Amino acid sequence: MTTGDDRQREVIVRARDLLPADERILAVYLIGSYGTGQADRFSDVDVHLVVTDHSIDWFEQHWDDVLRKLTGPTVHADRVPGLIGGLGITADWLHVDLVAHPLAAFDRFQYDGVRVLFDRDGTLFPDGDIPPLGGRPGEPYWPAVNVRLFFYFLGNLVTVLGRDERIVGNQGVGVVRDQLIALMLAERGVRRTGGAKRLNALLSDEQRAALEAIPAAGTDPSDIITANQYICRQFITRGTALAKLTGNAWPNEFVDATLLHLRNHFGVDFS
């Protein structure tokens, strides 16, 4: 178990020692790397609060004041849309998130891996810390949405390069690669619930090697096509095998139409 650096730990100590003095705060806990025990010196500190329902309007307006109790002065603070709270960045680029949850909407199992710093009456986290479950291989499953999206995005390569939108074409390589990653996680039965900046532990060595072998693509159309061909062949090989394994139908008509569309426009095979 890694522990990050001194700046991060000081924020956690302040969250544990200072925030309980506010009677409106019912619990303080960590998610993300510090919630799962995977923190390193590159980690954010994700501090979450459970607060009384009648105080939620105050926290919605003053979350950044609470944040600065933990971090000191910030050079940037920005609310995260859809949440009561946001992120703060200090002058030495310490990144801390602070999010408040009203008691009425609190779900202690919302996040995968929780480290409890404070629980006022012991009822919000009756069993204490919640160990992470995500990332453990399990039963393979069928990622139907990702399969459909993959071939939809791949087919749009004709439009993008047909318009000579080379920057968009380069971005598209990442988009189809992300659908391949989702398929690989489904191969292993991994349901990703942790942070977006950790992936290595969720993939097998073979899967990582396949992803790292994706040809580099800048803005030259031929390089973009080559990268998409490689990703497509990986996706079809893995996807057809996973469909058979899980008893699901491979979308032959959509796949065949997409491959024909690509071959007619670019004059090369993607399968």
Side-chain angles (χ1 to χ4, degrees), residues 52-124:
T52 58
D53 294 331
H54 69 266
S55 66
I56 199 65
D57 289 342
W58 185 92
F59 282 96
E60 194 162 10
Q61 296 296 319
H62 300 283
W63 66 269
D64 50 339
D65 294 329
V66 181
L67 175 77
R68 292 186 186 97
K69 286 184 179 180
L70 308 180
T71 64
T74 58
V75 295
H76 176 69
D78 194 16
R79 181 171 180 175
V80 175
L83 297 178
I84 301 168
L87 63 90
I89 305 291
T90 66
D92 58 354
W93 246 90
L94 173 65
H95 178 171
V96 178
D97 294 340
L98 181 81
V99 175
H101 303 269
L103 177 61
F106 171 65
D107 175 6
R108 69 176 177 271
F109 297 112
Q110 180 177 356
Y111 300 102
D112 185 47
V114 170
R115 176 181 167 191
V116 182
L117 300 182
F118 168 73
D119 183 357
R120 189 169 298 280
D121 60 10
T123 60
L124 296 179

Coordinates of all heavy atoms in Angstrom, one line a residue, residues 52-124:
T52 N -25.8 17.5 6.6 CA -27.2 17.6 6.9 C -27.9 18.1 5.7 O -27.4 19.0 5.0 CB -27.5 18.4 8.1 OG1 -27.0 19.7 7.9 CG2 -26.8 17.8 9.4
D53 N -29.2 17.7 5.5 CA -30.0 18.1 4.4 C -30.2 19.6 4.4 O -30.2 20.3 3.4 CB -31.3 17.4 4.4 CG -31.1 15.9 4.1 OD1 -30.1 15.5 3.4 OD2 -32.0 15.1 4.6
H54 N -30.4 20.2 5.6 CA -30.8 21.6 5.6 C -29.6 22.5 5.4 O -29.7 23.7 5.1 CB -31.4 22.0 7.0 CG -30.4 21.9 8.1 ND1 -30.3 20.8 8.9 CD2 -29.5 22.9 8.6 CE1 -29.4 21.0 9.8 NE2 -28.9 22.3 9.7
S55 N -28.4 21.9 5.4 CA -27.2 22.8 5.1 C -26.6 22.6 3.7 O -25.6 23.3 3.4 CB -26.0 22.3 6.1 OG -25.6 21.0 5.8
I56 N -27.3 21.9 2.9 CA -26.7 21.6 1.6 C -26.6 22.9 0.7 O -25.7 23.0 -0.1 CB -27.5 20.5 0.8 CG1 -26.6 19.9 -0.3 CG2 -28.8 21.0 0.3 CD1 -25.4 19.2 0.2
D57 N -27.6 23.8 0.9 CA -27.5 25.0 0.1 C -26.2 25.8 0.5 O -25.6 26.4 -0.4 CB -28.7 25.9 0.3 CG -30.0 25.3 -0.3 OD1 -29.8 24.4 -1.2 OD2 -31.1 25.6 0.1
W58 N -25.9 25.8 1.7 CA -24.7 26.6 2.2 C -23.5 25.9 1.6 O -22.6 26.6 1.0 CB -24.6 26.6 3.7 CG -23.5 27.4 4.2 CD1 -23.5 28.7 4.6 CD2 -22.1 27.0 4.4 NE1 -22.3 29.2 4.9 CE2 -21.4 28.1 4.8 CE3 -21.4 25.8 4.2 CZ2 -20.0 28.1 5.1 CZ3 -20.0 25.7 4.4 CH2 -19.4 26.9 4.9
F59 N -23.4 24.6 1.6 CA -22.2 24.0 1.0 C -22.1 24.2 -0.5 O -21.0 24.2 -1.1 CB -22.2 22.5 1.4 CG -21.7 22.2 2.8 CD1 -22.7 22.0 3.8 CD2 -20.4 22.2 3.1 CE1 -22.3 21.8 5.1 CE2 -20.0 21.9 4.4 CZ -20.9 21.8 5.4
E60 N -23.3 24.3 -1.1 CA -23.3 24.5 -2.6 C -22.7 25.8 -2.9 O -22.0 26.0 -3.9 CB -24.7 24.4 -3.1 CG -24.8 24.3 -4.6 CD -26.2 23.8 -5.0 OE1 -27.1 23.8 -4.2 OE2 -26.3 23.5 -6.2
Q61 N -22.8 26.8 -2.0 CA -22.3 28.2 -2.2 C -20.9 28.3 -1.7 O -20.1 29.1 -2.2 CB -23.2 29.2 -1.6 CG -24.6 29.3 -2.2 CD -24.6 29.8 -3.6 OE1 -23.8 30.7 -4.0 NE2 -25.4 29.1 -4.4
H62 N -20.5 27.6 -0.7 CA -19.3 27.8 0.0 C -18.3 26.6 0.1 O -17.4 26.6 0.9 CB -19.6 28.2 1.5 CG -20.4 29.5 1.6 ND1 -19.8 30.8 1.4 CD2 -21.7 29.7 1.8 CE1 -20.8 31.7 1.5 NE2 -21.9 31.0 1.8
W63 N -18.5 25.7 -0.8 CA -17.7 24.5 -0.8 C -16.2 24.8 -1.0 O -15.3 24.2 -0.4 CB -18.1 23.5 -2.0 CG -17.8 24.1 -3.3 CD1 -18.7 24.8 -4.1 CD2 -16.6 24.0 -4.1 NE1 -18.1 25.2 -5.3 CE2 -16.8 24.8 -5.3 CE3 -15.3 23.5 -3.9 CZ2 -15.8 24.9 -6.3 CZ3 -14.4 23.6 -4.8 CH2 -14.6 24.3 -6.0
D64 N -15.9 25.9 -1.8 CA -14.5 26.3 -2.0 C -13.8 26.9 -0.7 O -12.6 26.7 -0.5 CB -14.3 27.2 -3.1 CG -15.3 28.4 -3.1 OD1 -16.3 28.3 -2.4 OD2 -15.0 29.4 -3.7
D65 N -14.7 27.5 0.2 CA -14.1 27.9 1.5 C -13.7 26.7 2.3 O -12.7 26.8 3.0 CB -15.2 28.8 2.2 CG -15.5 30.1 1.5 OD1 -14.6 30.6 0.8 OD2 -16.6 30.5 1.6
V66 N -14.5 25.7 2.3 CA -14.2 24.5 3.1 C -12.9 23.9 2.5 O -12.0 23.4 3.2 CB -15.4 23.5 3.0 CG1 -15.0 22.2 3.8 CG2 -16.6 24.2 3.6
L67 N -12.9 23.8 1.1 CA -11.7 23.3 0.5 C -10.4 24.0 0.9 O -9.4 23.3 1.2 CB -11.9 23.4 -1.0 CG -10.7 23.0 -1.9 CD1 -10.6 21.5 -2.0 CD2 -10.8 23.6 -3.3
R68 N -10.5 25.3 1.0 CA -9.2 26.0 1.4 C -8.9 25.9 2.9 O -7.7 26.1 3.2 CB -9.4 27.5 1.0 CG -9.5 27.7 -0.5 CD -9.5 29.2 -0.9 NE -9.7 29.4 -2.3 CZ -10.9 29.6 -2.9 NH1 -12.0 29.7 -2.1 NH2 -11.0 29.7 -4.2
K69 N -9.8 25.4 3.7 CA -9.4 25.0 5.0 C -8.4 23.8 5.0 O -7.6 23.7 5.9 CB -10.6 24.6 5.8 CG -11.5 25.7 6.3 CD -12.6 25.2 7.1 CE -13.5 26.3 7.6 NZ -14.6 25.8 8.5
L70 N -8.5 23.0 3.9 CA -7.7 21.9 3.8 C -6.4 22.1 3.0 O -5.3 21.6 3.4 CB -8.4 20.7 3.1 CG -9.8 20.4 3.7 CD1 -10.4 19.2 2.9 CD2 -9.7 20.0 5.2
T71 N -6.5 23.0 2.0 CA -5.4 23.2 1.1 C -4.6 24.5 1.4 O -3.4 24.6 1.0 CB -5.9 23.3 -0.3 OG1 -6.7 24.4 -0.5 CG2 -6.6 22.0 -0.7
G72 N -5.2 25.4 2.0 CA -4.6 26.8 2.0 C -5.0 27.5 0.7 O -5.9 27.0 0.0
P73 N -4.3 28.6 0.4 CA -4.6 29.3 -0.8 C -4.6 28.4 -2.1 O -3.7 27.5 -2.2 CB -3.6 30.4 -0.9 CG -3.1 30.5 0.5 CD -3.2 29.2 1.1
T74 N -5.5 28.7 -3.0 CA -5.5 28.0 -4.3 C -5.2 29.0 -5.4 O -5.5 30.2 -5.3 CB -6.8 27.3 -4.5 OG1 -7.9 28.2 -4.5 CG2 -7.1 26.2 -3.5
V75 N -4.7 28.5 -6.5 CA -4.5 29.3 -7.7 C -5.6 29.0 -8.7 O -5.8 29.8 -9.7 CB -3.1 29.1 -8.4 CG1 -2.0 29.5 -7.5 CG2 -3.0 27.6 -8.8
H76 N -6.4 28.0 -8.4 CA -7.5 27.7 -9.3 C -8.5 26.8 -8.5 O -8.1 25.9 -7.8 CB -7.1 26.9 -10.5 CG -8.2 26.4 -11.4 ND1 -9.0 27.3 -12.1 CD2 -8.7 25.2 -11.6 CE1 -9.9 26.6 -12.8 NE2 -9.8 25.3 -12.5
A77 N -9.8 27.2 -8.5 CA -10.9 26.4 -7.9 C -12.0 26.5 -8.9 O -12.4 27.5 -9.4 CB -11.3 27.0 -6.6
D78 N -12.6 25.3 -9.1 CA -13.7 25.2 -10.1 C -14.7 24.2 -9.7 O -14.3 23.1 -9.4 CB -13.1 24.9 -11.5 CG -14.1 25.1 -12.6 OD1 -15.1 25.8 -12.4 OD2 -13.8 24.6 -13.7
R79 N -15.9 24.6 -9.8 CA -17.0 23.6 -9.4 C -17.1 22.6 -10.5 O -16.9 22.8 -11.7 CB -18.3 24.4 -9.3 CG -19.5 23.4 -8.9 CD -20.7 24.2 -8.6 NE -21.8 23.2 -8.2 CZ -23.0 23.6 -7.8 NH1 -23.2 24.9 -7.6 NH2 -23.9 22.7 -7.5
V80 N -17.4 21.3 -10.1 CA -17.6 20.2 -11.1 C -19.1 20.2 -11.4 O -19.9 20.0 -10.4 CB -17.1 18.9 -10.5 CG1 -17.5 17.8 -11.5 CG2 -15.6 19.0 -10.3
P81 N -19.5 20.3 -12.6 CA -21.0 20.3 -12.9 C -21.6 19.0 -12.4 O -21.1 17.9 -12.6 CB -21.0 20.4 -14.5 CG -19.7 21.0 -14.8 CD -18.7 20.6 -13.8
G82 N -22.8 19.2 -11.9 CA -23.6 18.1 -11.4 C -23.2 17.6 -10.0 O -23.9 16.8 -9.4
L83 N -22.2 18.2 -9.4 CA -21.8 17.9 -8.0 C -21.9 19.1 -7.1 O -21.8 20.2 -7.6 CB -20.4 17.3 -8.0 CG -20.1 16.0 -8.7 CD1 -18.6 15.7 -8.6 CD2 -21.0 14.9 -8.2
I84 N -22.0 18.8 -5.8 CA -21.9 19.9 -4.9 C -20.5 20.0 -4.4 O -20.1 19.2 -3.5 CB -22.9 19.7 -3.7 CG1 -24.3 19.6 -4.2 CG2 -22.8 20.8 -2.7 CD1 -25.3 19.1 -3.2
G85 N -19.7 20.7 -5.1 CA -18.3 20.8 -4.8 C -17.5 20.9 -6.1 O -18.0 21.2 -7.2
G86 N -16.2 20.8 -5.9 CA -15.3 20.9 -7.1 C -13.9 20.6 -6.8 O -13.6 19.9 -5.8
L87 N -13.0 21.2 -7.6 CA -11.6 20.9 -7.4 C -10.8 22.2 -7.1 O -11.2 23.3 -7.5 CB -11.0 20.2 -8.7 CG -11.1 21.1 -10.0 CD1 -9.8 21.9 -10.2 CD2 -11.3 20.2 -11.2
G88 N -9.7 22.0 -6.5 CA -8.8 23.1 -6.2 C -7.3 22.7 -6.5 O -6.9 21.5 -6.4
I89 N -6.6 23.7 -7.0 CA -5.2 23.5 -7.4 C -4.4 24.5 -6.6 O -4.7 25.7 -6.7 CB -4.9 23.6 -8.9 CG1 -5.8 22.7 -9.7 CG2 -3.4 23.4 -9.2 CD1 -5.5 21.2 -9.5
T90 N -3.3 24.1 -5.9 CA -2.5 25.0 -5.1 C -1.3 25.5 -6.0 O -1.1 25.0 -7.1 CB -2.0 24.4 -3.9 OG1 -1.1 23.3 -4.2 CG2 -3.1 23.8 -3.0
A91 N -0.6 26.4 -5.5 CA 0.6 27.0 -6.3 C 1.6 25.9 -6.6 O 2.3 26.0 -7.6 CB 1.2 28.1 -5.5
D92 N 1.7 24.9 -5.8 CA 2.7 23.8 -6.1 C 2.0 22.6 -6.7 O 2.5 21.5 -6.7 CB 3.5 23.4 -4.8 CG 2.6 22.9 -3.7 OD1 1.3 23.0 -3.8 OD2 3.1 22.5 -2.7
W93 N 0.8 22.9 -7.2 CA 0.0 21.9 -8.0 C -0.4 20.7 -7.2 O -0.4 19.5 -7.7 CB 0.7 21.5 -9.3 CG 0.0 22.0 -10.5 CD1 0.2 23.2 -11.1 CD2 -1.1 21.4 -11.2 NE1 -0.8 23.4 -12.1 CE2 -1.5 22.3 -12.2 CE3 -1.8 20.2 -11.0 CZ2 -2.6 22.0 -13.1 CZ3 -2.8 19.9 -11.9 CH2 -3.2 20.8 -12.9
L94 N -0.8 20.9 -6.0 CA -1.5 19.9 -5.2 C -2.9 20.0 -5.7 O -3.6 21.0 -5.7 CB -1.4 20.1 -3.7 CG -2.2 19.2 -2.8 CD1 -1.7 17.8 -2.9 CD2 -2.1 19.7 -1.4
H95 N -3.5 18.8 -6.1 CA -4.9 18.8 -6.6 C -5.8 18.1 -5.5 O -5.5 16.9 -5.1 CB -4.9 18.0 -7.9 CG -6.3 17.8 -8.5 ND1 -6.4 17.2 -9.7 CD2 -7.5 18.0 -8.0 CE1 -7.7 17.2 -10.0 NE2 -8.4 17.6 -9.0
V96 N -6.8 18.8 -5.0 CA -7.7 18.3 -4.0 C -9.1 18.5 -4.5 O -9.5 19.6 -5.0 CB -7.5 19.0 -2.7 CG1 -8.5 18.5 -1.7 CG2 -6.1 18.8 -2.2
D97 N -9.9 17.5 -4.5 CA -11.4 17.6 -4.8 C -12.1 17.5 -3.5 O -11.8 16.8 -2.5 CB -11.8 16.4 -5.6 CG -11.2 16.4 -7.0 OD1 -10.7 17.5 -7.4 OD2 -11.2 15.3 -7.7
L98 N -13.2 18.3 -3.4 CA -14.1 18.3 -2.3 C -15.5 18.2 -2.8 O -16.0 19.1 -3.6 CB -13.9 19.6 -1.4 CG -14.8 19.6 -0.2 CD1 -14.2 18.8 0.9 CD2 -15.1 21.0 0.3
V99 N -16.2 17.2 -2.3 CA -17.6 17.0 -2.7 C -18.5 16.8 -1.5 O -18.1 16.0 -0.6 CB -17.7 15.8 -3.7 CG1 -19.2 15.5 -4.0 CG2 -16.9 16.1 -4.9
A100 N -19.6 17.4 -1.4 CA -20.6 17.2 -0.3 C -21.8 16.5 -0.8 O -22.3 16.7 -1.9 CB -21.0 18.6 0.2
H101 N -22.3 15.5 0.0 CA -23.5 14.7 -0.3 C -24.5 15.0 0.8 O -24.2 14.9 2.0 CB -23.2 13.2 -0.3 CG -22.1 12.9 -1.2 ND1 -22.3 12.5 -2.5 CD2 -20.7 12.8 -1.1 CE1 -21.2 12.2 -3.1 NE2 -20.2 12.4 -2.3
P102 N -25.7 15.4 0.4 CA -26.8 15.5 1.4 C -27.1 14.1 2.0 O -27.1 13.1 1.3 CB -28.0 16.1 0.6 CG -27.7 15.7 -0.8 CD -26.2 15.6 -1.0
L103 N -27.5 14.1 3.3 CA -27.8 12.9 4.0 C -28.8 12.1 3.3 O -28.8 10.9 3.1 CB -28.1 13.2 5.4 CG -28.5 12.0 6.3 CD1 -27.4 11.0 6.4 CD2 -29.0 12.4 7.7
A104 N -29.9 12.8 2.8 CA -31.0 12.1 2.2 C -30.7 11.3 0.9 O -31.3 10.3 0.6 CB -32.1 13.1 1.9
A105 N -29.6 11.7 0.3 CA -29.2 11.1 -1.0 C -27.9 10.3 -0.8 O -27.4 9.8 -1.8 CB -29.0 12.1 -2.1
F106 N -27.4 10.1 0.4 CA -26.1 9.4 0.6 C -26.2 7.9 0.4 O -27.1 7.3 0.8 CB -25.6 9.7 2.0 CG -24.4 8.9 2.4 CD1 -23.2 9.1 1.8 CD2 -24.5 7.9 3.4 CE1 -22.1 8.3 2.1 CE2 -23.4 7.2 3.8 CZ -22.2 7.4 3.1
D107 N -25.3 7.4 -0.4 CA -25.1 6.0 -0.6 C -23.7 5.6 -0.3 O -22.8 5.9 -1.1 CB -25.5 5.6 -2.0 CG -25.3 4.1 -2.4 OD1 -25.0 3.4 -1.5 OD2 -25.4 3.8 -3.6
R108 N -23.4 4.8 0.7 CA -22.0 4.6 1.1 C -21.4 3.6 0.1 O -20.1 3.5 0.1 CB -22.0 4.0 2.5 CG -22.5 2.6 2.7 CD -22.2 2.2 4.2 NE -22.8 0.9 4.5 CZ -24.0 0.7 5.0 NH1 -24.8 1.8 5.2 NH2 -24.5 -0.5 5.3
F109 N -22.1 3.0 -0.7 CA -21.6 2.1 -1.7 C -21.5 2.7 -3.1 O -21.3 2.0 -4.1 CB -22.4 0.8 -1.8 CG -22.4 0.0 -0.6 CD1 -23.6 -0.1 0.2 CD2 -21.2 -0.6 -0.1 CE1 -23.6 -0.9 1.4 CE2 -21.2 -1.3 1.1 CZ -22.4 -1.5 1.8
Q110 N -21.6 4.0 -3.2 CA -21.6 4.7 -4.5 C -20.2 4.6 -5.1 O -20.1 4.5 -6.3 CB -21.9 6.2 -4.3 CG -21.9 7.0 -5.6 CD -22.3 8.5 -5.3 OE1 -22.7 8.9 -4.2 NE2 -22.2 9.3 -6.4
Y111 N -19.1 4.6 -4.3 CA -17.8 4.5 -4.8 C -17.1 3.2 -4.5 O -17.4 2.6 -3.5 CB -17.0 5.7 -4.3 CG -17.6 7.1 -4.6 CD1 -18.3 7.8 -3.7 CD2 -17.4 7.6 -5.9 CE1 -18.9 9.0 -4.0 CE2 -18.0 8.8 -6.2 CZ -18.7 9.5 -5.3 OH -19.3 10.7 -5.6
D112 N -16.2 2.8 -5.4 CA -15.5 1.6 -5.2 C -14.2 1.8 -4.4 O -13.2 2.2 -4.9 CB -15.1 1.0 -6.6 CG -14.5 -0.4 -6.5 OD1 -15.0 -1.2 -5.7 OD2 -13.5 -0.6 -7.1
G113 N -14.3 1.5 -3.1 CA -13.1 1.8 -2.2 C -13.3 3.1 -1.5 O -13.3 4.1 -2.1
V114 N -13.5 3.0 -0.2 CA -13.6 4.2 0.7 C -12.8 4.1 1.9 O -12.8 3.0 2.6 CB -15.1 4.3 1.1 CG1 -15.3 5.4 2.2 CG2 -16.0 4.6 -0.1
R115 N -12.1 5.1 2.3 CA -11.4 5.2 3.5 C -12.1 6.2 4.4 O -12.2 7.4 4.1 CB -9.9 5.6 3.3 CG -9.1 5.8 4.6 CD -7.7 6.3 4.3 NE -7.0 6.8 5.5 CZ -5.9 7.4 5.4 NH1 -5.3 7.6 4.2 NH2 -5.3 7.8 6.5
V116 N -12.6 5.8 5.5 CA -13.4 6.7 6.4 C -12.5 7.4 7.4 O -11.7 6.8 8.1 CB -14.5 5.8 7.2 CG1 -15.3 6.7 8.1 CG2 -15.3 5.0 6.2
L117 N -12.6 8.7 7.4 CA -11.9 9.6 8.3 C -12.7 10.0 9.5 O -12.1 10.2 10.6 CB -11.4 10.9 7.6 CG -10.5 10.7 6.4 CD1 -10.1 12.1 5.8 CD2 -9.3 9.9 6.7
F118 N -14.0 10.0 9.4 CA -14.9 10.5 10.5 C -16.3 10.1 10.2 O -16.8 10.2 9.0 CB -14.8 12.0 10.6 CG -15.8 12.6 11.5 CD1 -15.7 12.5 12.8 CD2 -16.9 13.4 10.9 CE1 -16.7 13.1 13.7 CE2 -17.8 14.0 11.8 CZ -17.7 13.8 13.1
D119 N -17.0 9.5 11.2 CA -18.4 9.2 11.1 C -19.0 9.6 12.4 O -18.8 8.9 13.4 CB -18.5 7.7 10.8 CG -20.0 7.2 10.6 OD1 -20.9 8.1 10.8 OD2 -20.2 6.0 10.4
R120 N -19.8 10.6 12.4 CA -20.2 11.3 13.7 C -20.9 10.3 14.6 O -20.6 10.3 15.8 CB -21.1 12.5 13.4 CG -21.4 13.3 14.6 CD -22.0 14.7 14.3 NE -21.2 15.5 13.5 CZ -20.2 16.3 14.0 NH1 -19.9 16.2 15.2 NH2 -19.5 17.0 13.1
D121 N -21.9 9.6 14.1 CA -22.6 8.7 15.0 C -22.3 7.2 14.7 O -23.0 6.3 15.3 CB -24.1 9.0 15.1 CG -24.7 8.8 13.7 OD1 -24.1 8.3 12.8 OD2 -25.9 9.3 13.6
G122 N -21.4 6.9 13.8 CA -21.1 5.5 13.5 C -22.1 4.8 12.7 O -22.0 3.5 12.5
T123 N -23.1 5.4 12.1 CA -24.1 4.7 11.3 C -24.0 4.8 9.8 O -24.6 4.1 9.1 CB -25.5 5.3 11.7 OG1 -25.6 6.7 11.4 CG2 -25.8 5.0 13.2
L124 N -23.2 5.8 9.4 CA -23.1 6.0 7.9 C -22.1 5.0 7.3 O -22.3 4.6 6.2 CB -22.7 7.4 7.6 CG -23.7 8.5 8.0 CD1 -23.2 9.9 7.7 CD2 -25.0 8.3 7.3

